[in-house]
Amino acid sequence: MEEEKYLRKLKVVLYGVGAVGSLIAKFLLEKKGVDIVGAIDIAKDKVDKDLGEVLGLKRKLGIKVSKDVDAVLGKAQVDIAIHTTSSFLKNTYSQIASIVEHGVDVVSTCEELSYPYCGEPELAKELDALAKKHDATVLGTGINPGFLMDTLIITLTAPCQKIYKIEAIRVMNAATRRLPFQRKIGAGLTVEEFNRKMKDKEITGHVGLEQSIAMIADTLAWKLDKIIVEPVAPVIAKKKVRSERVEVKAGCAAGLRQKAKGVMKDREVIVLDFQAYIGAEEEYDAVTIKGIPNIKQKISPCVHGDIGTIAMVVNSIPKVINAPAGLFTMKELPVPSAAIEDIRKYISNQTVFQSGD
Ligand SMILES: NC(=O)c1ccc[n+]([C@@H]2O[C@H](COP(=O)([O-])OP(=O)(O)OC[C@H]3O[C@@H](n4cnc5c(N)ncnc54)[C@H](OP(=O)(O)O)[C@@H]3O)[C@@H](O)[C@H]2O)c1
């Protein structure tokens, strides 16, 4: 307790106050050792409003949501920004760069940032150099990609002497997830609409299987010949199912199934199978490692995606603050753990926080 008196609170800015950013904000408001000092978003219904109102709280927080990144990051001595706007690094690069240029660390839920070396190696190199130049640390993480189909699998390989094949499957009932997620998996669309929207990239499906496979393979020093991402398939509802906000008629898309495979010397050595649809009866996360020894692990029911994402992001804050400057992925940072106490207790370089309140 004595210690907390002289350690100032971590100053956090939210960059993106959509579904995930809002849940993170609410969780941070409950946490000890951290202060939200700013919020950035471009959505018309959020800009210039008090963050408390945007979060649907009954009280004002005295923080206006702003679209002016420099004004928000320039005014306070911000320690870290939580970035939650989009899945694709081409879209988010300039946003993340604008944070880093202020010397502020970043944890982002941008799926492609979780392992940018496979899809966007040039941008990854640039971002790493920029972060080092401005003494900032950048991490892309979340529940998946970020944990269930990569970091967890990598950790489970630790007691293996040999590995021949890795398979992981995640099955979840999308009815319990946030609305933007239900939309991006096409829940409620007719099959024709689903296929058209997927083709026109109006809905994205799950982003990150390729990144997870590449992260696992690089960790094991496996040189994959290719990563095959199979076409996204709608899961068709056999009967009418619904979530709180989405109704799926029988014969329509309740969600989707996506598979990706890492191939080495004509063998499928990593297979990831992602299924998210409204009405899934058995929800689970399972990993099977064929090797010496064989490992089978099943989490049942599956980890809740939104709760898990919020926790992964917040629990990563101390890991990112503790890390040196540069772009990091989950495979380089220490094995994650929950930061359930005052978040300052997990910061190793306390000298940074010895001034102020
Ligand atoms: N890795 C994981 O496990 C994981 C888990 C959950 C979510 N995610 C990803 O995290 C991202 C956020 O998810 P979400 O459900 O919160 O999405 P969302 O509800 O659409 O929220 C995104 C927010 O960011 C705003 N925004 C967009 N571009 C911006 C910009 N240039 N500057 C400032 N604000 C901007 C959006 O405004 P507009 O509405 O006006 O565009 C919206 O308010 C998604 O890409 C999602 O796929 C990853």
Side-chain angles (χ1 to χ4, degrees), residues 2 11 42 46 60 107 136 164 175 183 185 198 207 209 216 228 292 303 319 323 326-328 331 335-336 346 350:
E2 269 306 296
K11 293 186 176 172
I42 52 165
K46 293 170 191 152
K60 289 202 170 174
V107 181
Y164 308 114
R183 287 207 183 105
I185 59 163
M198 208 44 94
V207 181
L209 293 182
I216 297 166
I228 301 168
I292 301 176
V303 178
K319 309 268 176 206
L327 170 63
F328 284 82
K331 97 182 194 6
V335 177
Y346 307 90
Q350 299 284 14

Side-chain angles (χ1 to χ4, degrees), residues 5-207:
K5 278 187 192 160
Y6 64 85
L7 298 178
R8 75 164 169 79
K9 290 182 176 180
L10 280 188
K11 293 186 176 172
V12 180
V13 160
L14 301 160
Y15 193 128
V17 209
V20 169
S22 296
L23 290 170
I24 291 171
K26 286 180 188 164
F27 186 44
L28 285 175
L29 287 170
E30 291 169 13
K31 264 206 106 55
K32 277 183 90 178
V34 50
D35 267 342
I36 299 175
V37 295
I40 299 161
D41 205 292
I42 52 165
K44 283 200 183 87
D45 58 338
K46 293 170 191 152
V47 174
D48 288 335
K49 288 206 173 132
D50 185 89
L51 182 61
E53 192 185 337
V54 171
L55 299 181
L57 305 178
K58 288 193 181 104
R59 63 192 168 109
K60 289 202 170 174
L61 295 172
I63 298 160
K64 261 207 175 136
V65 176
S66 168
K67 56 182 174 190
D68 187 341
V69 179
D70 291 332
V72 174
L73 294 177
K75 75 165 195 232
Q77 191 195 344
V78 179
D79 296 302
I80 195 156
I82 307 297
H83 173 267
T84 57
T85 64
S86 159
S87 306
F88 305 101
L89 192 53
K90 273 200 178 72
N91 300 340
T92 57
Y93 182 87
S94 62
Q95 301 163 21
I96 295 167
S98 71
I99 304 170
V100 164
E101 280 161 358
H102 283 273
V104 171
D105 291 346
V106 185
V107 181
S108 172
T109 56
C110 172
E111 284 92 334
E112 286 190 347
L113 185 67
S114 67
Y115 205 68
Y117 306 104
C118 66
E120 301 285 359
E122 286 307 314
L123 289 183
K125 218 167 119 186
E126 268 178 51
L127 191 54
D128 182 50
L130 193 72
K132 285 179 176 146
K133 183 176 163 198
H134 293 280
D135 194 21
T137 308
V138 178
L139 173 74
T141 195
I143 195 66
N144 189 34
F147 187 68
L148 289 169
M149 285 184 154
D150 38 56
T151 311
L152 176 63
I153 295 176
I154 290 167
T155 310
L156 287 171
T157 66
C160 294
Q161 294 179 358
K162 287 185 190 294
I163 295 174
Y164 308 114
K165 185 171 183 176
I166 294 170
E167 288 173 283
I169 177 162
R170 174 159 172 75
V171 182
M172 71 172 115
N173 181 0
T176 63
R177 297 290 308 272
R178 66 193 192 282
L179 188 61
F181 180 83
Q182 294 176 30
R183 287 207 183 105
K184 79 176 184 178
I185 59 163
L189 301 176
T190 64
V191 175
E192 292 70 32
E193 279 169 341
F194 179 98
N195 290 332
R196 182 186 57 74
K197 287 191 180 217
M198 208 44 94
K199 188 164 156 264
D200 296 345
K201 297 194 172 20
E202 273 181 55
I203 52 173
T204 59
H206 175 72
V207 181

